[in-house]
Amino acid sequence: GGWAWGRASENSLSGIAGEAPSTPMSHTVFKFFFASHIPATCLIDTQVLLPKTWVPPMLSNLAEWYANSASDHLMLTRPLWFKSLVSMEVACQLPFFAAATYAFHHKKNWIRLPAIVYASHAITQMVPILATVLFDSAVPDTKRALLTSVYLPYFAGAPACA
């Protein structure tokens, strides 16, 4: 549901000829959801992969502040499996974030299949992350709810767009 922009053409989700197309609220939310991922991925998440000397101090201080404040074990310890997930985020999801932002803004029908692929990929990636947050003894019990609130939207938001 929610893909109600009409069928004016294969490449456009605009309304019937002569009518102003309406934009469902969900599509506006998706546009901002994906647009917000671009700076977060580029400025914060990529730090997991880069040597510390390559990251401007202001950005590394921000990431360190978050990781320490939230006791984000994954951002603090950067295990290899987590780095592999972030690598996939940068290689696969980052281009999709830009495409999805464009497609939802311009009401493009072609985003449907890529959105399903993204949702499948994002959900799969979030399972080991959420399992770590919820069950790893290295994560303080007092921080589990906070960390779940940080990561859960990526798990829950992904299928909503498909």
Side-chain angles (χ1 to χ4, degrees), residues 98-141:
T101 301
Y102 172 87
F104 281 109
H105 181 74
H106 294 286
K107 303 178 184 178
K108 298 296 183 181
N109 220 6
W110 51 257
I111 197 60
R112 291 176 180 193
L113 182 58
I116 292 168
V117 173
Y118 162 77
S120 300
H121 178 74
I123 289 168
T124 303
Q125 282 194 287
M126 292 311 302
V127 169
I129 292 171
L130 286 169
T132 299
V133 166
L134 293 171
F135 304 114
D136 192 325
S137 61
V139 177
D141 289 337

Side-chain angles (χ1 to χ4, degrees), residues 5-9 14-21:
W5 279 332
R7 295 264 186 199
S9 76
S14 59
I16 299 169
E19 291 183 16

Side-chain angles (χ1 to χ4, degrees), residues 47-125:
Q47 292 185 44
V48 169
L49 306 173
L50 299 173
K52 201 166 189 153
T53 56
W54 291 15
V55 180
M58 187 175 94
L59 292 177
S60 63
N61 291 342
L62 177 63
E64 284 180 33
W65 170 83
Y66 157 74
N68 288 317
S69 297
S71 296
D72 190 329
H73 178 66
L74 297 173
M75 290 295 286
L76 290 169
T77 62
R78 303 175 181 194
L80 182 58
W81 67 266
F82 184 63
K83 287 181 179 182
S84 71
L85 295 181
V86 173
S87 296
M88 292 301 296
E89 177 187 359
V90 171
C92 299
Q93 292 181 20
L94 184 57
F96 173 78
F97 298 153
T101 301
Y102 172 87
F104 281 109
H105 181 74
H106 294 286
K107 303 178 184 178
K108 298 296 183 181
N109 220 6
W110 51 257
I111 197 60
R112 291 176 180 193
L113 182 58
I116 292 168
V117 173
Y118 162 77
S120 300
H121 178 74
I123 289 168
T124 303
Q125 282 194 287

